[in-house]
Every structure is written in structure tokens, then in C-alpha cells.
């Protein structure tokens, strides 16, 4: 896009440090102004926003509007001040890479929220001076290199997985450099680097050869012996701590980075730096309106957190002034750069820094209730003298809008994106441009209309995700070198124990290797390597919280007996259905590979191996003459929907109709959007039946289904009613079959013998499902999480205002959203008011199943497009709701929920690259007989994934009765 389209006024002279510009009407207008200024400026632009949420929105808009310019990301730590845990290695890797790259940048935009701008960071000379280079043919001393890597903050691990890891195995050095998207394998011949190759950390397969690699520091501070000693001595000197009891001192003595060490960064340097020290001198700073009040708020929060922690004698904390810039330091740093500061519209000064005149886009609502739903848009197009661009959030939404506009005889030509529209000079067009809001430019006259102006609907935000492969779960146990010591493993006869390594023993005069498994009370089981097939990995929960069975105890046998009983209960029913399926022939669907393969290629992520295996099994079943009856079992967010999409496309392209049956209205709407989006560029029509549609609309859809005009129909149990007739249905997809009632299941039983049936389930105990279905129904298990999916950090705690406030602050500080689950409709409004009084900054709305349908739909859509950040709700969110920006869930009275519900509820968060948190709030003292407590214990242990126990008020002897020894 040429800057000639959007002229910008020249910058103020160097002596004039500040220029003001009228605040744009919306964030997208600000993004356009920043993009045009960045094009005109010969240097870096530092855009400072008030909050992390504003920064994410601005980044998204800039990536659409500033095509051709790099938009840089310097992530926030995503922790609260003085938190006791460290940021994820991926975040540290991104930050170090950004700090290293910034001084050399000549163009681009760096978006930073105030909270990140205020942080003190390592000085530039330390980042630049601690870069390690490795080249092919270079001489390398393994021991010396290991010390160098550890001093740079790299972690010595058995197997490399995350940035900052390295591993030594014989003549191989595996390492994952900070800032790199993939790890590397270094192979030595004698002491010379013979080869450098990238490799897949999950499959351990080498990929592409390289000539050299650059290793940035793995931490934002040094961890060599001298600096660890400096930090340790500073702690002892400044604080009244007992060195033997202080975990920080002990960890630093061993050269280990303690959790939360980032908040002790000044102890490692004589002088710290700030982000301003890393950016080039010619950087232009553009400040959001209200940035100064955001500074005050952030520093006040830091002071408040410091007051709460300052008296901790075992883990003392540094004062805020050492970790964050003081206001006078920030202003001094700003004065070293030319800057443009937004001022509110009512301010007497007007824009002299930017000539770009941006106005709000008009509201032109399209509603089906009007006789002429596009009348407002038609009138605007006929009267407006300039050009109009309709920005759709995704290809699916683009096609939906085109259908509506074509019906009103407003047929816009299609362009690729915003840049394509500007360059082609079309007077009226539609394209994919996921912008936060619409705007209007005076010179040249251009109006951009988004779905916010046209519809009360906004498609979901795209996800950031690396295309990294993952390991086939079936191969994990086959290579003993990949089993970590102390990890839980399962023997089919004795249950779950801990792997203690291999030992060579002599039995009957013959020496052999034995797998050592330790059980409760120190009992050990020695398994010959020849019987390795009897041992499998443990996948029920996180390794740290897996149960430990007793050798010879009854717990494992009881679990196997219960599973066997379940199998006997359903065997007769399933065998009968299986016989009917095998007797029916002629349902083989011709798979059009010429259409299917290009469609599969549009999947924006890398398929996991077991996801790909499930897809291939389903497609193979559809091509067989007998009806398919396959269950795809996988955890929430593991990619089951893509399996359904591939199957639906294959069936629809073969001329068959597809019915997608889901348990809730909200999930039906979400699946409808997903299917419509993926099928946007293909001649496949998707419709939805739900209570959000009027009787007239449902009748029209049913008529078209009966006539065969609809290829894919998504709906709730409404699809099972007798008035739903298909012209030629070939595939039924059922999401969460266990959520349907007896009558619905009777209809499903009949369907199994007549059409291809695909069932998706996120059953929280897949082992039981596996035993029940083994040999009776076809089964595919997706056990591998998506790449970079972080475990949900789960807290169990009684209700405390401080805990709730901290949970809110941690999520809202990074611009995220929160589910607060209160499953009592009678008191849910009161709970929302109490939370609003507790956290005044939160924007809270309520959602439950007894609300009017349209009101509920609007609330959920508003939450989806982040118009408020806290949803107080019932279990209506339990199935299928996918909002990547919502990464904290608080479950009030978690003791009232079962295992399946808790597992599903926790699956609502952690669906993006952000660390997610789940708080299970229970009464201070749980009541009930022993059996109920054991049920609670089983449920909580199965949840796993990093429980952090707040037991000081549980009154259960350290939660032992509820949670066991762990």
C-alpha cells in the first residue's frame, strides 16, 4: 500500500519533543494512523498502549493495515508482580529475541503496553555480549560448552522440548536456542563439529542441515557462578534471612533458577536497563490517550503487591522502584525521543502531528426483521461519494455476507484483503480483514465497514501456533531412553507405579536387564525387558499427581473389575447393532481426492500424528460398503472437530447430506460458524437448527433439507424429531453422545445400522471408554495435545476475597477474559454484584439457560468479541465453547461437580498459547461420608495438570483426607 493514499504531516523538529493528535474514534482508527506514520517514518515506531488487551488488538489491526512493515511482539510476563512462579519458557524466549533484535531495526512497529514498558530489563551490553556462535567445523569442548550454556541460563535436561533446553548424549549435543522456532542437533567427530541439523523435538528426527547457529541467552539475567554468588550475597546482606532456610539462597547456591526469580533481576546486575535502552535513537514513540493514568495504576498495583509480600522472611522481595521505572525515569526516557501523544477529543488542542482525518464508521445494521434488511446500507452506498470496503473476519464470514448482499442485489466484487482493495482502486468491494472496528477516512474518502456495523456478530480471533510435529503416543514406551526416571508407568497386572530405571539382575544363572517399577510403601517390581509390552505409559493426569498403587493391593483389581462389568453391560446391545451394520451394504462413498486434498491443505495447523491417524481411519471407513460406527475420543481442544470437518467434506462432496448433532444450542452455533468458515470456498451449503431461529426460519430450513438443497445441517436434539426429513443423508456426526437422553439415544441406535455414524467425545476417563468399545465399535484415540499447548495450572482453595481478586488481576492484567461459574440461577445475579464490588475494574455480565434466547445469544457473542471480560455463568458453557482469549475459570463450589463436568469445564480455558488457570473453590470444611470424600478424591486426582494446593484454611489436616499424601 502506498503512502500516497494517506498523507501524514511531517514530524515535529528535534527540539520540539511532543506533538498532539486528536484521539481516533476507535482502536482501528488509531491502528491506521500508526500504520501510516510508520510508513512515513525512517525508523522504528514504538506504540504504547494502556493495557495488554489494547496491545493485542492493536497488533492484530496493524498486521492487517500495515502490510509490508514488520509488527514486532515483546510479550508481557503474564504474571502478577511478585508472583511465585516464572513465565513460560516460550515467553522468555520471545522477549530475549526481541531485545537482541531491537537495536538493529530500521523500520517497523513495536507494540508495548504500559505494564511492559515500565519493567526494568537486562542492559543491552549484556544481551549482545552473551550471544554464543556455533559453526560446522568448529572445535568444541563439551565440558566447557556445557558450563557456558548453563551460565547463559540454559537448562540441562534428559530431552530437549522447550527454548532454553540442552541435552548431552554421547557425541550429540541437542539444544533449543532462545528465539529459535526449532531445536538443533550438533554431532561431533572427536572434538570437531561435524554436522549441525535442526530436528523435531517430539519425533527426535533430524530435519535440515545448517552451517551455523546463534545462541541467545536463555534467561534475562546471567546464571554463571559469579553472578549467582553476587545475587546470593546481596540477598543475605540486604535481608534478614537464614541462608539454610531461604529457598532462593539454596537454589542459587546450586546454580538453579528458582521459580519467580525474574523479580530478583537487579541482584544480578550492577545496573539494569529499560526497553528505551534497546530501541534505536531515531525511534518515534506514539502514546495512547490515558497512558499516564495507566502508569499510575500499574505502579499502584506493584506497591500493593509489595505491601502484601514485603514481610515474607523466607522469600523477601525487592522494592518496586528497583523493578519498575519511576514516573520521573519514564518521562526522562520519553524526552530522549520524538513522540506523538493522543489527546482526548474534547481537549482544546487539535491534531498537528497527523494529517490523517479519521471518523467513525456509520452503523448500518442488517436485520432479518426488516422487509428490506439492507435498506440502510443501500442508501449509504448510493449517497456516499467515496469508496466502501466491507471487512469480513474470515472467509466463512465473507461468504455469509456475500449471500446476504447478493440477496439484496448489492453484489460486491471480492478482493483478497485491505491492501488489495487500496491498490486496485475499486469503488466497492468485500474482503477478509479481521479489524476490530470500522472507520471512515476523509481524504481520500474511504469507509471501512466491519461486521460490528453490519451484524451483532464477530468471528473468532486467529490463534498463534507453531507448526511443530508431535510424537506418536504409541511409541513413547518403546524406547527406554525416552522414559524419564520417576515418571509414572502402568503395569497391566499391578497398576500405576514409578519408573526407577533399568537394572541388570541374574536369574537362574542368566544375567538380564529388568525394568524397575516402585509402588507404594517402597515395594518394587522387576519386569524383564522381554515383557515390555505389559507396561504402558500413564496418561490419566499430570506425572506429578498420578496415583501410586500398592503392589498386591485391591485398588487396581477393583478398577479392572468395574471396567469389565461395563463391557458386559453394553456388549449384547453393540453386538446386535454391529450385526445389523455388517448385514447392510452399498453405503460406500466415492472419495473425490481432487477436491479433498486441497480442502485438507486449508487446515491452518499441523495435524498431530494420532489426529491424522483418526482422519485417515474415518475417510477409510466412509469408502467401505458397510456403515461406519467410529468413536473418536480425545481431550478437549485436541482437534476432534477437524476430524468431523474432513468427514463431512468427504460425504458432502460425494453427494450425501451430513447431520451434525450437538448437545447445546451454543455449541450448535459455534459448530455452524466453524463449518461455514471452512467450507466457504467450496460448493457446500451449511445451515443450523437451534432455538435461536424463529419458527418461520426453521420451517424454511427443514424444507430445504428435505429437498436436498442443504448439504450440512448442524443442530441440537431438534434434528432427531420426526418432522426432520433428509433427501439422502449419508453421515451423522454426534458430538458428546453421552450428553443425550434416553429417547435421543434410542433414535441414535436406529441410525447406527442405517448411515455412517461418527461420534466425538471428550470423555475424561478414556480408559473406561476404550475397554467398553474394544472390538465392538471402531475406536480412534487422539491422545497428543497440540504443539505448545500449556497445561492448565489448577488451584484448589477455599473462598477468600484475596484469592479471587488475585485471579481476576492476573487474567485482566494481560487483557484476557474470565469464566466465573456459579451454578445457582437464583443467586447468580447477587454473585455478579458481589464480584463487581470486589473487583471494580472488571466488566461483568451474566449468562444462564433460563435467560431469553436472544438475550443469551447476545451475551455470548459480546463475550466472544471481548466487549466485557468476566462472564458469570452456569454450566451452560460446559460443552464446546471455544474462546481463546478466556484463559481463567473459577468454579465456585467445585465439590458439587463430578469428574466429567470438572474436566469439561476446565477444558474451556487453555485453548491458546497463553498459560491458563483453573480455580476450584470449595467450602472451608467439606462434609459428607467417607464414600463421597473418596469420590471427590478420585475426581480431583484425575484432573491433575499441576495442582497447587491452598490448604491453610481447609481444616482437613493439610487437606490429607481430601487429597491424599500429595
Amino acid at each position: 500500500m502506498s503512502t500516497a493514499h494517506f498523507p501524514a504531516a511531517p514530524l515535529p523538529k528535534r527540539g520540539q519533543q511532543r506533538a498532539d493528535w486528536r484521539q481516533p474514534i476507535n482502536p482501528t482508527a488509531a491502528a491506521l494512523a500508526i500504520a501510516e506514520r510508520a510508513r512515513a517514518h525512517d525508523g522504528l515506531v514504538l506504540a504504547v498502549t494502556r493495557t495488554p488487551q489494547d496491545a493485542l488488538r492493536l497488533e492484530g489491526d496493524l498486521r492487517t493495515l500495515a502490510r509490508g512493515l514488520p509488527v514486532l511482539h515483546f510479550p508481557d510476563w503474564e504474571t502478577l508482580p511478585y508472583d511465585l512462579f516464572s513465565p513460560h519458557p516460550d515467553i522468555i524466549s520471545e522477549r530475549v529475541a526481541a531485545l537482541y533484535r531491537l537495536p538493529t531495526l530500521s523500520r517497523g512497529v513495536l507494540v508495548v503496553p504500559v505494564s511492559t514498558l515500565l519493567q526494568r530489563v537486562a542492559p543491552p551490553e549484556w544481551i549482545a555480549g552473551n550471544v554464543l556462535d556455533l559453526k560446522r567445523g568448529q572445535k568444541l569442548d563439551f565440558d566447557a560448552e556445557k558450563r557456558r550454556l548453563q551460565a547463559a541460563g540454559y537448562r540441562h535436561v534428559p530431552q530437549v522440548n522447550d527454548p532454553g533446553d540442552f541435552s548431552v548424549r554421547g557425541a550429540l549435543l541437542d539444544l533449543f536456542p532462545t528465539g529459535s522456532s526449532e531445536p538443533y542437533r550438533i554431532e561431533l567427530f572427536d572434538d570437531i563439529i561435524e554436522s549441525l541439523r535442526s530436528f523435531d523435538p517430539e519425533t527426535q528426527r533430524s530435519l535440515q542441515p545448517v552451517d551455523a547457529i546463534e545462541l541467545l541467552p536463555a534467561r534475562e539475567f546471567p546464571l554463571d557462578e559469579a553472578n549467582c554468588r553476587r545475587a546470593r550475597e546481596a540477598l543475605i546482606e540486604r535481608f534478614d534471612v537464614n541462608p539454610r532456610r531461604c529457598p532462593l539462597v539454596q537454589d542459587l547456591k546450586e546454580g538453579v533458577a528458582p521459580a519467580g526469580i525474574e523479580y530478583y533481576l537487579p541482584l544480578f546486575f550492577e545496573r539494569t536497563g529499560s526497553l528505551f535502552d534497546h530501541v534505536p535513537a531515531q525511534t518515534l514513540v506514539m502514546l495512547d490517550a490515558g497512558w499516564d493514568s495507566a502508569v499510575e495504576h500499574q505502579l499502584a498495583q506493584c506497591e500493593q503487591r509489595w505491601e502484601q509480600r514485603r514481610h515474607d522472611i523466607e522469600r523477601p522481595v525487592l522494592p518496586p522502584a528497583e523493578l519498575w521505572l519511576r514516573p520521573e525515569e519514564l518521562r526522562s526516557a520519553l524526552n530522549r525521543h520524538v513522540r506523538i501523544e493522543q489527546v482526548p477529543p474534547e481537549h482544546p488542542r487539535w491534531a498537528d502531528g497527523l494529517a490523517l482525518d479519521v471518523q467513525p464508521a456509520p452503523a448500518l445494521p442488517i436485520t432479518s426483521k426488516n422487509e428490506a434488511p439492507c435498506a440502510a446500507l443501500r442508501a449509504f452506498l448510493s449517497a456516499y461519494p467515496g469508496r466502501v470496503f466491507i471487512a469480513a473476519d474470515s472467509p466463512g464470514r465473507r461468504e455469509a455476507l456475500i449471500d446476504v448482499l447478493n440477496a439484496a442485489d448489492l453484489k460486491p466484487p471480492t478482493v483478497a484483503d485491505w491492501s488489495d482493495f487500496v491498490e486496485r482502486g475499486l469503488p466497492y468491494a468485500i474482503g477478509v480483514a479481521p479489524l476490530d472496528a470500522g472507520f471512515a477516512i476523509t481524504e481520500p474518502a474511504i469507509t471501512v465497514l466491519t461486521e460490528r456495523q453490519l451484524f451483532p456478530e464477530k468471528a473468532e480471533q486467529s490463534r498463534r501456533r507453531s507448526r511443530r510435529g508431535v510424537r506418536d503416543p504409541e511409541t513413547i514406551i518403546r524406547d527406554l531412553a525416552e522414559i524419564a526416571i520417576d515418571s509414572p508407568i502402568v503395569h497391566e497386572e499391578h497398576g500405576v507405579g514409578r519408573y526407577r530405571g533399568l537394572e541388570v539382575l541374574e536369574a537362574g544363572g542368566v544375567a538380564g536387564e529388568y525394568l524397575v517399577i516402585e509402588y507404594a510403601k517402597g515395594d518394587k517390581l522387576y519386569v524383564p525387558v522381554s515383557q515390555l509390552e505389559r507396561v504402558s505409559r500413564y496418561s490419566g493426569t499430570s506425572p506429578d499427581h498420578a496415583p501410586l498403587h500398592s503392589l498386591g493391593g485391591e485398588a487396581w483389581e477393583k478398577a479392572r473389575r468395574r471396567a469389565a462389568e461395563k463391557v458386559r453391560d453394553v456388549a449384547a446391545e453393540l453386538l446386535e447393532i454391529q450385526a445389523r451394520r455388517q448385514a447392510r451394504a452399498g453405503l460406500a462413498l466415492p472419495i473425490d481426492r481432487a477436491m479433498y486434498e486441497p480442502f485438507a491443505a486449508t487446515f491452518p495447523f499441523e495435524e498431530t500424528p494420532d489426529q491424522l491417524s483418526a482422519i485417515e481411519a474415518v475417510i477409510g471407513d466412509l469408502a467401505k460398503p458397510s456403515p461406519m460406527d467410529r468413536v473418536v475420543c480425545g481431550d478437549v481442544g485436541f482437534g476432534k472437530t477437524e476430524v468431523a470437518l474432513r468427514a463431512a467434506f468427504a460425504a458432502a462432496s460425494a453427494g450425501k447430506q451430513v447431520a451434525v448433532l450437538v448437545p447445546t444450542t451454543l455449541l450448535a452455533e459455534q459448530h455452524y460458524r466453524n463449518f461455514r468458515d471452512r467450507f466457504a470456498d467450496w460448493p457446500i451449503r451449511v445451515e443450523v437448527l437451534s432455538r435461536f431461529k424463529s419458527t418461520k426460519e426453521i420451517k424454511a430450513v427443514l424444507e430445504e433439507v428435505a429437498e436436498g438443497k442443504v448439504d450440512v445441517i448442524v443442530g441440537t436434539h431438534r434434528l432427531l424429531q420426526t418432522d426432520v426429513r433428509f433427501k439422502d443423508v449419508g453421515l451423522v456426526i454426534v458430538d458428546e453422545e453421552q450428553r443425550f437422553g434416553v429417547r435421543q439415544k434410542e433414535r441414535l441406535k436406529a441410525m447406527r445400522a442405517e448411515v455412517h455414524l461418527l461420534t466425538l467425545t471428550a470423555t475424561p476417563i478414556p480408559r473406561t471408554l476404550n475397554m467398553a468399545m474394544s472390538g465392538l465399535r471402531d475406536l480412534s484415540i487422539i491422545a497428543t495435545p497440540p504443539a505448545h499447548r500449556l497445561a492448565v495450572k489448577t488451584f484448589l482453595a477455599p473462598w477468600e476475597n484475596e484469592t479471587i481478586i488475585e485471579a481476576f488481576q492476573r487474567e485482566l492484567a494481560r487483557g484476557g477474559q474470565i469464566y466465573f461459574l456459579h451454578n445457582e440461577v437464583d443467586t447468580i445475579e447477587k454473585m455478579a454484584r458481589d464480584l463487581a464490588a470486589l473487583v471494580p475494574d472488571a466488566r461483568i455480565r451474566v449468562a444462564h439457560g433460563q435467560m431469553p434466547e436472544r438475550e443469551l445469544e447476545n451475551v455470548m457473542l459480546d463475550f466472544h468479541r471481548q466487549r466485557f471480560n468476566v462472564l458469570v455463568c452456569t454450566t451452560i458453557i460446559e460443552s464446546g465453547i471455544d474462546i481463546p482469549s478466556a484463559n481463567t475459570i473459577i468454579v465456585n463450589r467445585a465439590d458439587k461437580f463430578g469428574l466429567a463436568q470438572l474436566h469439561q469445564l476446565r477444558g474451556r480455558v487453555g485453548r491458546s498459547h497463553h498459560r491458563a488457570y483453573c480455580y476450584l473453590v470449595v467450602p472451608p470444611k467439606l462434609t459428607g461420608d467417607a464414600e463421597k470424600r473418596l469420590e471427590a478424591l478420585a475426581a480431583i486426582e484425575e484432573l491433575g495438570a499441576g495442582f497447587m494446593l491452598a490448604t491453610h484454611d481447609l481444616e482437613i489436616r493439610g487437606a490429607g483426607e481430601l487429597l491424599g499424601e500429595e
Side-chain angles (χ1 to χ4, degrees), residues 217-282:
R219 295 277 187 172
E220 297 182 53
F221 49 85
L223 273 177
D224 60 306
E225 184 177 348
N227 282 284
C228 284
R229 184 171 59 251
R230 174 210 294 269
R232 196 169 65 246
E233 292 173 352
L235 274 171
I236 297 172
E237 179 182 348
R238 294 184 54 179
F239 301 100
D240 184 19
V241 297
N242 184 336
R244 295 183 178 180
R245 294 189 175 183
C246 179
L248 296 173
V249 173
Q250 292 301 312
D251 285 344
L252 290 172
K253 187 176 182 180
E254 298 174 5
V256 176
I261 188 63
E262 287 71 21
Y263 290 103
Y264 297 90
L265 180 138
L267 300 182
F268 293 89
F269 297 104
E270 292 183 3
R271 180 190 67 85
T272 55
S274 71
L275 197 60
F276 292 100
D277 299 322
H278 292 263
V279 299
Q282 68 273 23

Side-chain angles (χ1 to χ4, degrees), residues 94-114:
E94 287 187 70
R95 286 171 62 95
V96 173
L99 291 176
Y100 177 68
R101 185 184 175 193
L102 277 175
T104 61
L105 279 176
S106 59
R107 297 291 299 278
V109 184
L110 173 64
V111 182
V112 177
V114 159

Side-chain angles (χ1 to χ4, degrees), residues 467 595-605 607 642 646 678 682:
R467 293 177 64 88
M595 289 183 65
Y596 175 79
E597 295 301 337
F599 170 76
T602 62
F603 184 49
F605 308 125
E607 299 92 345
E642 179 62 20
R646 303 276 182 99
R678 286 297 304 281
W682 303 91

Side-chain angles (χ1 to χ4, degrees), residues 892-949:
N892 192 26
R893 290 305 303 267
D895 54 300
K896 292 187 175 183
F897 296 92
L899 170 60
Q901 282 184 302
L902 286 173
H903 190 76
Q904 287 279 29
L905 291 169
R906 199 182 62 163
R908 297 311 102 214
V909 297
R911 306 175 76 90
S912 70
H913 62 288
H914 291 289
R915 167 74 76 185
Y917 302 93
C918 174
Y919 293 79
L920 302 180
V921 180
V922 297
K925 186 173 183 180
L926 295 182
T927 60
D929 55 27
E931 182 178 357
K932 289 184 178 180
R933 291 200 179 187
L934 287 175
E935 290 175 354
L937 166 62
I940 292 172
E941 284 185 342
E942 287 286 347
L943 279 171
F947 264 95
M948 300 182 66
L949 305 181

Side-chain angles (χ1 to χ4, degrees), residues 596-657:
Y596 175 79
E597 295 301 337
F599 170 76
T602 62
F603 184 49
F605 308 125
E606 186 79 18
E607 299 92 345
T608 63
D610 39 351
Q611 183 187 27
L612 192 59
S613 176
I615 291 171
E616 292 173 350
V618 169
I619 299 302
D621 287 348
L622 292 176
K624 294 178 180 178
S626 58
M628 173 179 69
D629 187 7
R630 180 170 293 273
V631 178
V632 175
C633 178
D635 209 342
V636 287
F638 276 32
K640 300 185 298 297
T641 301
E642 179 62 20
V643 180
L645 282 162
R646 303 276 182 99
F649 183 87
S653 60
K656 295 289 185 178
Q657 290 177 295

